[in-house]
Amino acid sequence: MSDSTSKRPAVFIEKMMPVQVLNEQVNFEHGGNPFKGLHRWYSRKPLSFSRASVLASLLPADITMQEFEYLLGLVPGKEVKLYKTPPNSVQIKKVHDYCEKVWGTRTPTVLDAFAGGGSIPFEAARYGLNVLASDLNPVAVVTMKAAMEYPLKFGPDLQQDIDKWVKWVGDEAEKRLAEFFPSLPGETVQYYLWAHTVVCPNCESIVPLSPNWWLDKSSSAIKKAQLAAIKPISNPDEKKVDFDLVKGKKGNGSTIITADGEYDPDIAVTISRSVGKCPNCHNIIEDDVIKSQAKINGLGHQLYAVASKIGNNYLTF
């Protein structure tokens, strides 16, 4: 019995892939995926690998590695970050030419039935290919519509509408929330920092729970010698914990250099691995005690810092 099924030509992905080059591209992409601003998707695939997978599944096996890397958008001897470098018109035309040769159509349909974060359909759309994408999770579907379907459907006018309504929402929210964020002249309160609290079963002090007391340890804070953290101060007489604001330049390890010496916000923790510690009596508060208080009375809360913005520049505490 003869097999009447037509055999397709071999494709590039069945022969080889530039894995080392793509690994370098993934390093560039950390934190830079354009979908991140829409919705965090923990299994989102790197755009560079997704682009390579799409092209390698469509292009013929007999093209050279040099040609494949060119169609990806790589330039010999030059640092190119693929995730933010769309293909140019010449590269797109060449891909379409190859597709016509292999598949009998210049724009074959790329199907991703479980597209998740949308990296594969996004890269396929960048090359002007037909794309069908879906997912069981409705959040993924909405994210892909916002990232791909609507921009392609409505064009540049969509950006104007988005800018208009984002500004309206921001202005309206600022107006309605103004009474809850009273600010001094020249500053704007951005947010309040709170800690859940429990009652120490040994000394009955109110214990704020925090795995660290950092406020700002960013690279810019290090450069400005303006590392900021909170230092819990024991107050057993009033059965509570007070706070001091600590600012200074970076010391050894994770410490801040202050007038009183070095302070480590990672050491003065009051909870770690679900187990608490009272700063007043140093009693260990087991996780079952914390859970019990949370179930019976609910966890308390304590304000420990206020973040404000000075002008349009930086946060201060």
Side-chain angles (χ1 to χ4, degrees):
M1 185 175 179
S2 62
D3 184 4
S4 61
T5 304
S6 61
K7 293 184 178 180
R8 61 163 175 78
V11 290
F12 190 83
I13 199 171
E14 297 170 323
K15 182 177 68 172
M16 67 180 82
M17 285 286 278
V19 176
Q20 183 174 347
V21 172
L22 292 173
N23 282 336
E24 294 172 358
Q25 287 295 321
V26 172
N27 285 330
F28 291 144
E29 197 168 328
H30 282 308
N33 192 301
F35 289 144
K36 274 198 169 182
L38 289 173
H39 188 272
R40 178 173 291 278
W41 196 264
Y42 292 96
S43 62
R44 181 173 285 124
K45 304 302 181 289
L47 293 180
S48 50
F49 259 102
S50 299
R51 180 185 300 191
S53 299
V54 169
L55 291 187
S57 299
L58 295 174
L59 300 177
D62 58 1
I63 67 170
T64 65
M65 180 62 76
Q66 183 179 7
E67 175 77 350
F68 182 73
E69 291 184 358
Y70 164 73
L71 294 175
L72 277 179
L74 297 172
V75 179
K78 182 180 179 181
E79 182 180 277
V80 177
K81 298 180 180 180
L82 290 180
Y83 75 92
K84 61 179 182 180
T85 307
N88 59 43
S89 58
V90 176
Q91 292 162 334
I92 292 174
K93 181 180 182 301
K94 283 197 171 186
V95 168
H96 289 183
D97 291 342
Y98 278 125
C99 286
E100 186 171 26
K101 174 184 174 182
V102 177
W103 304 101
T105 175
R106 297 183 63 78
T107 54
T109 298
V110 176
L111 169 64
D112 191 349
F114 302 98
S119 296
I120 288 176
F122 179 76
E123 287 298 333
R126 274 178 153 177
Y127 282 85
L129 303 170
N130 294 322
V131 178
L132 293 176
S134 65
D135 198 274
L136 293 173
N137 191 322
V139 174
V141 174
V142 171
T143 301
M144 286 188 287
K145 280 183 174 291
M148 289 172 283
E149 181 179 334
Y150 295 154
L152 290 172
K153 183 177 181 180
F154 298 108
D157 291 343
L158 178 63
Q159 184 64 56
Q160 297 177 13
D161 288 341
I162 290 174
D163 292 341
K164 171 186 174 182
W165 290 107
V166 165
K167 184 179 185 305
W168 181 87
V169 170
D171 292 345
E172 193 68 18
E174 185 174 345
K175 182 172 63 177
R176 297 186 188 186
L177 294 173
E179 63 177 299
F180 303 107
F181 293 85
S183 304
L184 296 174
E187 71 173 22
T188 304
V189 173
Q190 297 294 296
Y191 46 83
Y192 303 105
L193 295 169
W194 299 80
H196 285 303
T197 63
V198 295
V199 177
C200 174
N202 182 57
C203 68
E204 298 183 344
S205 294
I206 302 298
V207 179
L209 302 175
S210 180
N212 68 74
W213 293 104
W214 282 106
L215 295 175
D216 189 359
K217 57 177 179 178
S218 63
S219 58
S220 61
I222 294 175
K223 290 179 182 178
K224 297 175 183 176
Q226 285 291 311
L227 291 170
I230 289 296
K231 184 177 183 179
I233 305 299
S234 175
N235 188 349
D237 293 337
E238 298 185 28
K239 296 186 181 298
K240 67 175 185 176
V241 177
D242 298 321
F243 301 109
D244 274 351
L245 176 63
V246 177
K247 290 185 177 181
K249 63 181 181 180
K250 180 175 172 54
N252 295 320
S254 58
T255 64
I256 300 176
I257 298 177
T258 70
D260 299 324
E262 294 189 352
Y263 168 64
D264 191 341
D266 288 327
I267 297 298
V269 301
T270 52
I271 189 168
S272 177
R273 298 181 180 274
S274 302
V275 176
K277 182 179 180 180
C278 176
N280 288 343
C281 68
H282 306 293
N283 177 60
I284 299 300
I285 308 173
E286 298 293 346
D287 62 337
D288 58 340
V289 174
I290 297 175
K291 291 176 182 177
S292 176
Q293 290 191 25
K295 288 180 180 179
I296 296 173
N297 299 316
L299 295 174
H301 52 272
Q302 184 174 355
L303 179 69
Y304 65 87
V306 178
S308 301
K309 181 173 284 189
I310 305 297
N312 295 320
N313 295 324
Y314 58 90
L315 285 177
T316 185
F317 300 92

